[in-house]
């Protein structure tokens, strides 16, 4: 530990403060009883699918296609998730099997 | 005496609401539990290697509750004391919560005092489920959101705590387990795409972020990605006349 206990707490609160602002700001700017501008309502409907797309890429940001195993396990696992979800349409099965396939690939096939 | 009986009925109903909400919501949080277990324990272990015990991991998780920033902050906890720097970094890394808040403005309406808690612990996974999964009619909305938010909160705290105390004892091969969160986001993304109207916006998000990742690299692409998305959606609105 490099910082004192008080300093560490201050750091924790500095981090928390940043998170709190980003979380509460929309709700503070657009409180319940006031009418929300149409532009914001439009964003409220269109941002979610876009953000989910962002999260998919975000979760894959550390995958390297130039270093072994070149993102192949990820590719295979993602394709199987797409097929599985098309076929069964079950959220938990798709997630579970997709993860199992990936783990198998990185532990057994692409070591 | 009549008031007591009515109150008893109300309390039972509240408990029943929570129970019904739990039964519906819990299965959806299982992938998050597994993902958090792996990632949270990694965090706890990392903190321990820097000299920060499970106590500090839990404090960080409980007060800040933001996975990616918690990880980003680890090197800063072993450097010079610069709280302002850390605060600004937190604002940037957590910026995407601004978009979650905008998206949840409608859904979190009329929930009373619990709203504060729900907003405080809003994170990627809670947003994905709370927005993406509509509870059936018989399930109380407030209870549903509360169950999801509090479960995820508890999962994360538990995982980081476990990591802190078990740092040296993990033996089975968990390699690749963190892929569960990628799988989770992909599947929830697919669920969003089921709705024809969402498809173009989903693709905008995917492509914008991917482009931003290529241009700015994995450490600096989030905010540009969000700007590109915001710009595309705004221009798109004019073009599509929505």
């Amino acid at each position: 530990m490099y910082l004192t206990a008080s300093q560490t707490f201050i750091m924790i609160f500095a981090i928390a403060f940043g998170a709190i602002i980003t979380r509460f700001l929309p709700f503070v700017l657009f409180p319940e009883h006031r009418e929300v501008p149409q532009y914001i309502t439009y964003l409220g409907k269109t941002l979610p699918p876009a953000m989910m797309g962002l999260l998919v890429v975000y979760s894959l940001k550390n995958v390297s296609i130039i270093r072994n195993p070149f993102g192949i396990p990820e590719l295979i696992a993602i394709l199987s998730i797409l097929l599985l979800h098309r076929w069964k349409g079950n959220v938990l099965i798709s997630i579970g099997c997709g993860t199992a396939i990936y783990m198998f690939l990185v532990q057994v096939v692409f070591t | 005496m009549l008031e007591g009986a009515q109150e008893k009925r109300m309390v039972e109903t509240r408990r029943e609401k929570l129970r019904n909400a739990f039964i519906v919501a819990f299965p959806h949080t299982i992938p998050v539990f597994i993902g958090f277990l792996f990632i949270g324990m990694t965090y706890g272990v990392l903190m321990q290697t820097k000299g920060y015990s499970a106590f500090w991991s839990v404090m960080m998780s409980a007060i800040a509750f933001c996975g990616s920033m918690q990880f980003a902050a680890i090197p800063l906890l072993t450097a010079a004391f610069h709280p302002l720097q850390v605060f600004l970094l937190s604002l940037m890394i957590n910026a995407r919560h601004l978009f979650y808040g905008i998206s949840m403005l409608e859904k979190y309406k009329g929930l009373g005092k619990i709203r504060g808690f729900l907003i405080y612990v809003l994170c990627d996974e809670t947003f994905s489920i709370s927005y993406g999964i509509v509870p059936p009619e018989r399930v109380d909305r407030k209870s549903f959101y509360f169950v999801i938010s509090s479960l995820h909160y508890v999962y994360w705290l538990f995982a980081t705590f476990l990591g802190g105390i078990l740092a040296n004892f993990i033996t089975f091969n968990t390699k690749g387990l963190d892929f569960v969160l990628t799988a989770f986001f992909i599947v929830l993304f697919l669920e969003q795409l089921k709705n024809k109207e969402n498809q173009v916006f989903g693709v905008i998000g995917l492509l914008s972020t991917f482009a931003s990742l290529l241009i700015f690299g994995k450490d600096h692409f989030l905010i540009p990605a969000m700007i590109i998305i915001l710009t595309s959606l705004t221009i798109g609105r004019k073009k599509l006349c929505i």
Side-chain angles (χ1 to χ4, degrees):
Chain A
M1 205 165 139
Y2 296 57
L3 305 173
T4 66
S6 326
Q7 287 178 326
T8 311
F9 265 117
I10 293 174
M11 291 287 261
I12 293 177
F13 283 119
I15 295 168
F17 203 37
I20 288 169
I21 290 179
T22 57
R23 283 172 169 144
F24 281 91
L25 196 60
F27 297 94
V28 164
L29 288 176
F30 308 108
E32 287 185 88
H33 54 269
R34 271 220 297 264
E35 207 192 302
V36 177
Q38 282 197 347
Y39 173 61
I40 302 296
T41 310
Y42 164 75
L43 286 182
K45 294 212 178 79
T46 56
L47 275 175
M51 288 308 280
M52 306 261 203
L54 178 144
L55 286 171
V56 169
V57 177
Y58 178 67
S59 64
L60 291 165
K61 71 181 169 84
N62 293 314
V63 176
S64 170
I65 51 171
I66 52 174
R67 263 184 293 121
N68 200 25
F70 311 104
I72 298 175
E74 283 82 1
L75 188 60
I76 297 175
I78 292 173
L79 286 174
S80 16
I81 291 175
L82 293 177
L83 290 172
L84 201 54
H85 205 61
R86 255 307 184 90
W87 176 40
K88 284 280 178 191
N90 184 306
V91 171
L92 288 181
I93 289 180
S94 303
I95 294 175
C97 293
T99 307
I101 289 172
Y102 181 78
M103 285 179 76
F104 175 75
L105 289 173
V106 295
Q107 287 186 19
V108 177
V109 180
F110 290 90
T111 43
Chain B
M1 194 161 161
L2 197 63
E3 282 174 6
Q6 278 181 337
E7 221 178 79
K8 186 164 185 271
R9 214 178 23 243
M10 272 173 63
V11 170
E12 270 184 326
T13 317
R14 203 182 304 151
R15 204 179 299 149
E16 273 177 7
K17 279 185 195 168
L18 281 176
R19 213 193 66 199
N20 288 335
F22 182 86
I23 292 171
V24 170
F26 175 69
H28 294 288
T29 67
I30 294 174
V32 179
F33 177 65
I34 297 172
F36 276 10
L37 205 57
F38 186 74
I39 297 176
M41 284 185 77
T42 307
Y43 176 76
V45 169
L46 278 173
M47 285 284 275
Q48 183 67 269
T49 61
K50 302 292 178 194
Y52 287 94
S53 66
F55 170 77
W56 291 111
S57 297
V58 174
M59 279 296 114
M60 182 72 85
S61 300
I63 299 171
F65 191 67
C66 41
S68 28
M69 181 57 205
Q70 284 182 240
F71 273 97
I74 293 179
L76 299 171
L77 288 173
T78 56
F81 180 58
H82 282 312
L84 183 61
Q85 209 181 66
V86 142
F87 166 66
L88 291 172
L89 187 62
S90 179
L91 274 181
M92 290 194 290
I93 291 190
N94 288 313
R96 61 190 184 282
H97 294 125
L98 287 168
F99 285 9
Y100 296 161
I102 293 175
S103 307
M104 295 303 284
L105 282 173
E106 265 305 310
K107 300 216 173 205
Y108 278 176
K109 267 197 175 145
L111 301 181
K113 293 196 193 119
I114 206 69
R115 214 164 95 110
F117 170 72
L118 295 179
I119 299 169
Y120 192 89
V121 299
L122 190 55
C123 61
D124 305 324
E125 296 78 6
T126 299
F127 165 70
S128 302
I129 297 183
S130 296
Y131 187 87
I133 304 207
V134 180
E137 281 288 315
R138 55 182 173 81
V139 172
D140 176 51
R141 243 178 69 235
K142 182 159 76 170
S143 308
F144 183 73
Y145 294 143
F146 176 71
V147 166
I148 292 175
S149 298
S150 39
L151 279 179
H152 288 172
Y153 185 72
V154 166
Y155 292 164
W156 182 246
L157 262 67
F158 175 67
T160 55
F161 168 72
L162 216 56
I165 59 172
L166 290 184
N168 302 308
F169 299 103
I170 301 167
T171 51
F172 62 94
N173 195 347
T174 56
K175 188 172 180 199
L177 190 55
D178 55 341
F179 190 76
V180 71
L181 277 180
T182 306
F184 173 80
F185 289 132
I186 291 175
V187 173
L188 264 81
F189 179 63
L190 292 175
E191 289 285 295
Q192 280 286 306
L193 292 187
K194 275 184 180 169
N195 198 330
K196 281 263 158 44
E197 304 168 335
N198 289 337
Q199 285 174 358
V200 64
F201 305 116
V203 172
I204 287 176
L206 203 65
L207 293 179
S208 308
T209 314
F210 186 60
S212 182
L213 178 63
L214 290 177
I215 299 171
F216 297 96
K218 66 183 176 73
D219 294 318
H220 301 104
F221 73 103
L222 265 188
I223 293 189
M226 288 166 57
I227 295 175
I228 298 173
I229 289 174
L230 199 57
T231 314
S232 312
L233 291 179
T234 309
I235 297 176
R237 182 189 187 205
K238 298 208 171 95
K239 286 251 167 106
L240 300 168
C241 301
I242 302 166

